[in-house]
Amino acid sequence: MSTPRAKPKYYLTTPLYYTNGMPHIGHTYSTIVADVIRRYKRMRGFDVFMTTGADEHGVNVERSAKKAGKSPQEFSTEIAVQWRRLWDDLGIAGDEFIRTTDEKHHRTVQWLFKRCRENGFIEKGHYTGQYCVHDNAYVVDAGPGDACPDCGRPTETVTEENYFFKLSGFQQKLLDFYAANPDFIQPESRRNEVLSFVNGGLKNLSITRTTIRWGIPVPGEAPHVFYVWFDALIGYLSAVGGPNYDERGLWPADLHIVGKEIIRFHAVYWPAFLMAADLPLPKQIWAHGWLLFDSEKMSKSRGNVVRPRPIVSALGIEPLRYYLLREIVFGQDGSFSYDALVTRYNSDLANGLGNLASRTLTMIERYFGGEIPNPAPGRETDVSGSAEFANEALTKVMHLYDRFSFSLALEAIWEIVAMIDKYITVEKPWALAEKPEDRARLAKVLYTAAEGLRIVAALAHPVLPVATQRIWNQLGQAEPLSGVQLDLLAWGQLKPGTKTGKPEGIFPRVDKSETIARIEAMEQEQNKAPEPSAATPVSTPAGTAAAAAPAIAAPAKIGIEDFAKVEMRVGQVKSAERVAGADRLLQLQVDIGDEVRQIVAGLALAYKAEDLVGRKVVVVTNLAPRKLRGVESNGMIVAASTPDGAPVLAGFLEDVPVGAKLK
Ligand code: MSP
């Protein structure tokens, strides 16, 4: 049995992401949220453990690997390594990265199956149905040729001899469980959705496949492999001990964070599997909404994804964390916009928190030699007023964090920032400093500002771990903020006489259009690289979170047959115009000999649209079409990339006919 813990445990998970593609901002959002909860719960006295990981089996990965000319294992490993590295670079890696190809996971899946079988919940049968390969799910009530209701792709008819999980027997048990645990599914809208699904009756679920190879073998039942969901979900348990889960004492999970599209798997199948195996059930499933881009769910197949590395490279991870949690109401869909991201950065971080920290610390250095002043007691009422306000705010913010109302929690914290700012503006410490008789008043004003800042730093720490630690240290606080207990935080704990550190800029203001242009330029660069090797190094702008830049591997040598796969032709630009809302992008109509192609290219930083008309360019003509800022692009224009990111078009010194092939 597990050894007793000094603190209560809190085990939380992100989804285990598919390894058929690279992470985008949507996946990053889920992982950031989990990391914020992890840090918050630590500050509330929990012994926290967070699992994230990779879901590697299934037809999608198998097919992507085949396309890349690699074995599924090799292909999936390359991608899993990049996911893991990204989370490390962004400081959101959690405590365990479980891969569904891990040996310990295989053992756990096979063990869980055995338990379900021994308990009489597995039977053999035939299944013919419509299957969505993309979503790895049978589509109930669909006929041949019907589209998948979730992703819109055509379904495939499959007939297999499968093992079935007797899900139909769990309808009442699940309903009873939901009734006894009203907070199990969050938010309310998802709970209602799941309740109506379960109330509608449950069909037995086919949990093995014979049509694919790339999966965990069902012991003694070759060629059956487990269905991806009777594989991936179990990863949450494999990560914390699997069959020996009770030794570590982390299971059951306290929280599964998921996107709303996979709520059913988590809130219906998963508890049923666990009930069938006589294992404890997770405490809560929280399904958040989607990040939208151009009003659609961001996803690789729609070609409208935004990647995290370019943003982090230009602004740092902390502004991205702040923006996502502040701007998107947790549980609802929200639109992602570069404009809003940089606006939030400048207003709330540079002008808001950063400016408050720097003006407060600069004045303490200037007027009190870098020591927290002593607020003479009894003279004014402002300290007790602030104390009341701050203590109320503390309770309020913790309550909001507890409900995962991140946006409101941050709003409440920034109300304190605004209050202190206003207080400084009204009290004018710089004027008080002019008159010796106002010295006590000056001490009180600056003490109040510093103490308010200290409280703000602690409260914002889960969202801005690096910046708040720096403010904390500048206030002369030595201990790591992560070890501070929010329950013990109260107004007045800042000791007069504490030496403060050198004030330094935390969030330097940035130029909005220049920053967006840089992000878009990096995004373009990164999208040019074929997956799974897309990796823009993360650098850090002055004063933001330190994230290590991963080494960029030299490109591998390729044979002439690989080069021959790329078709390049001479094209001539017929017309060009700016893409609305994108500083770098031009939308071009390019004649490539036998047709005119629409191509979206990141040339606007270096070329005016009108100057390009008539120009001959080199076009990669056999790239799969994709959308950039919602505009379809059918090909790529070849350009050199200069160190400052400005493109220089490839061209010809002699005249060449339009449509001529390059070899
Ligand atoms: N492998 C399954 C999950 C198995 S969990 C045992 C899977 N993987 S996934 O790679 O498709 O990741 C889906 C998750 O990524 C979503 O549930 C959500 O957490 C996150 N997101 C992916 N796209 C997203 C948005 N556009 N917006 C917000 N979150 C998104 O499903």
Side-chain angles (χ1 to χ4, degrees):
M1 284 307 276
S2 57
T3 39
R5 288 166 188 278
K7 299 180 194 170
K9 68 93 186 170
Y10 191 87
Y11 175 38
L12 82 161
T13 65
T14 74
L16 310 185
Y17 304 104
Y18 288 131
T19 49
N20 62 337
M22 300 293 291
H24 58 64
I25 277 288
H27 308 113
T28 311
Y29 174 61
S30 303
T31 313
I32 286 178
V33 165
D35 181 74
V36 168
I37 297 173
R38 172 178 185 248
R39 291 176 196 268
Y40 171 68
K41 290 286 177 186
R42 286 218 163 116
M43 295 181 84
R44 293 301 302 277
F46 288 90
D47 191 353
V48 189
F49 192 89
M50 170 180 150
T51 288
T52 184
D55 180 358
E56 304 191 44
H57 295 123
V59 188
N60 280 326
V61 175
E62 202 173 33
R63 287 190 180 167
S64 302
K66 200 164 172 203
K67 250 197 243 159
K70 295 181 178 163
S71 71
Q73 178 74 54
E74 185 191 4
F75 176 85
S76 181
T77 298
E78 269 180 43
I79 298 201
V81 164
Q82 298 215 37
W83 280 82
R84 184 179 204 152
R85 189 188 302 158
L86 177 71
W87 301 151
D88 274 335
D89 290 347
L90 302 188
I92 54 178
D95 304 290
E96 167 84 25
F97 187 93
I98 186 81
R99 294 182 54 185
T100 56
T101 47
D102 287 342
E103 224 275 306
K104 67 178 178 189
H105 174 66
H106 283 213
R107 263 189 285 118
T108 308
V109 171
Q110 291 168 343
W111 166 79
L112 199 109
F113 176 74
K114 192 161 161 264
R115 281 179 77 119
C116 293
R117 196 178 197 176
E118 283 166 1
N119 289 342
F121 295 108
I122 305 288
E123 68 182 9
K124 219 169 194 180
H126 277 92
Y127 187 89
T128 298
Q130 294 308 116
Y131 188 73
C132 174
V133 173
H134 179 262
D135 294 337
N136 284 310
Y138 281 103
V139 179
V140 186
D141 299 331
D146 285 356
C148 166
D150 285 336
C151 72
R153 292 177 175 77
T155 54
E156 293 178 14
T157 308
V158 292
T159 299
E160 290 187 61
E161 184 199 48
N162 290 164
Y163 280 98
F164 281 73
F165 177 80
K166 295 193 204 165
L167 186 63
S168 55
F170 286 87
Q171 182 183 17
Q172 199 49 49
K173 286 183 203 155
L174 284 168
L175 291 172
D176 292 346
F177 177 74
Y178 303 146
N181 299 276
D183 293 335
F184 178 63
I185 305 164
Q186 291 289 326
E188 198 57 28
S189 52
R190 300 290 151 231
R191 177 180 153 82
N192 294 338
E193 179 188 314
V194 170
L195 285 181
S196 76
F197 173 75
V198 176
N199 272 316
L202 296 174
K203 292 198 177 130
N204 288 349
L205 180 74
S206 138
I207 55 159
T208 69
R209 298 283 179 272
T210 52
T211 44
I212 62 166
R213 297 272 145 288
W214 180 233
I216 299 176
V218 180
E221 301 285 350
H224 286 268
V225 298
F226 287 104
Y227 163 54
V228 284
W229 286 99
F230 195 94
D231 168 346
L233 288 163
I234 300 164
Y236 299 140
L237 181 59
S238 324
V240 291
N244 303 322
Y245 69 91
D246 54 351
E247 281 171 15
R248 291 179 62 187
L250 287 166
W251 192 259
D254 294 272
L255 175 68
H256 293 310
I257 294 282
V258 298
K260 65 180 183 183
E261 79 291 354
I262 53 175
I263 185 69
R264 191 182 295 175
F265 300 101
H266 284 79
V268 182
Y269 297 178
W270 183 221
F273 297 163
L274 290 166
M275 282 176 182
D278 270 334
L279 292 169
L281 269 50
K283 305 261 174 63
Q284 191 168 63
I285 321 281
W286 234 105
H288 63 68
W290 289 336
L291 290 196
L292 311 175
F293 198 64
D294 294 333
S295 315
E296 281 193 283
K297 182 188 179 214
M298 197 182 287
S299 74
K300 194 176 107 177
S301 47
R302 289 191 177 91
N304 63 345
V305 295
V306 171
R307 305 283 178 183
R309 283 192 189 271
I311 295 171
V312 172
S313 223
L315 278 180
I317 174 68
E318 304 233 319
L320 178 62
R321 292 170 71 104
Y322 178 80
Y323 163 76
L324 290 174
L325 288 157
R326 174 71 181 80
E327 200 90 351
I328 289 154
V329 175
F330 191 61
Q332 294 179 16
D333 291 352
S335 284
F336 179 88
S337 126
Y338 289 121
D339 197 288
L341 165 71
V342 183
T343 303
R344 276 278 171 212
Y345 173 83
N346 276 334
S347 67
D348 295 14
L349 298 182
N351 293 351
L353 180 60
N355 183 48
L356 174 67
S358 111
R359 73 200 289 218
T360 304
L361 286 150
T362 304
M363 287 190 282
I364 290 176
E365 183 173 57
R366 188 170 304 154
Y367 307 136
F368 291 94
E371 263 183 26
I372 300 291
N374 197 346
R379 266 195 55 199
E380 315 287 345
T381 54
D382 52 2
V383 172
S384 57
S386 317
E388 215 171 286
F389 178 85
N391 288 335
E392 264 171 32
L394 265 168
T395 315
K396 177 175 168 189
V397 170
M398 283 196 274
H399 176 66
L400 291 167
Y401 270 130
D402 284 336
R403 291 168 37 202
F404 303 151
S405 299
F406 303 111
S407 177
L408 292 177
L410 290 172
E411 203 176 297
I413 300 171
W414 260 252
E415 270 169 25
I416 314 180
V417 172
M419 182 208 82
I420 311 171
D421 250 337
K422 189 163 162 218
Y423 173 72
I424 293 176
T425 308
V426 170
E427 295 294 333
K428 297 190 183 55
W430 48 93
L432 297 175
E434 301 281 301
K435 301 187 197 134
E437 67 271 25
D438 283 338
R439 186 83 184 151
R441 174 93 200 141
L442 176 66
K444 188 159 278 184
V445 170
L446 289 183
Y447 179 87
T448 302
E451 178 58 341
L453 184 61
R454 188 185 71 97
I455 303 261
V456 164
L459 285 176
H461 183 68
V463 179
L464 299 171
V466 177
T468 51
Q469 182 67 53
R470 286 177 60 196
I471 295 174
W472 189 253
N473 293 142
Q474 285 173 27
L475 284 167
Q477 310 302 300
E479 78 269 44
L481 242 182
S482 55
V484 167
Q485 294 303 294
L486 290 177
D487 299 86
L488 302 178
L489 198 66
W491 186 271
Q493 290 162 336
L494 183 60
K495 285 201 184 62
T498 306
K499 282 265 2 109
T500 57
K502 266 233 131 340
E504 40 171 319
I506 305 280
F507 294 113
R509 254 192 91 81
V510 298
D511 179 88
K512 195 201 280 183
S513 48
E514 193 262 340
T515 306
I516 296 177
R518 273 179 50 215
I519 296 173
E520 285 180 346
M522 284 186 274
E523 180 105 17
Q524 279 258 318
E525 253 333 283
Q526 178 166 330
N527 282 337
K528 271 192 213 159
E531 290 186 346
S533 59
T536 306
V538 174
S539 64
T540 32
T544 50
I552 319 171
K557 295 259 184 288
I558 56 165
I560 187 76
E561 67 288 354
D562 282 329
F563 179 70
K565 286 183 194 152
V566 182
E567 188 190 71
M568 284 188 279
R569 290 211 237 158
V570 176
Q572 186 165 37
V573 180
K574 292 283 158 207
S575 68
E577 60 183 292
R578 300 286 291 249
V579 173
D583 294 342
R584 244 188 75 90
L585 298 182
L586 292 180
Q587 177 178 341
L588 311 163
Q589 301 299 325
V590 183
D591 183 356
I592 56 165
D594 44 12
E595 60 175 306
V596 174
R597 290 277 186 91
Q598 172 165 293
I599 300 178
V600 179
L603 297 171
L605 277 190
Y607 296 92
K608 284 206 187 106
E610 56 271 26
D611 294 347
L612 288 177
V613 177
R615 180 148 177 169
K616 287 193 176 154
V617 289
V618 177
V619 181
V620 179
T621 51
N622 62 339
L623 271 184
R626 63 195 184 97
K627 274 193 176 171
L628 289 164
R629 284 297 178 101
V631 184
E632 180 153 307
S633 181
N634 269 298
M636 191 181 86
I637 303 213
V638 178
S641 177
T642 57
D644 64 358
V648 177
L649 282 170
F652 301 93
L653 297 174
E654 284 85 26
D655 197 24
V656 277
V658 169
K661 285 201 174 147
L662 279 85
K663 311 196 253 189

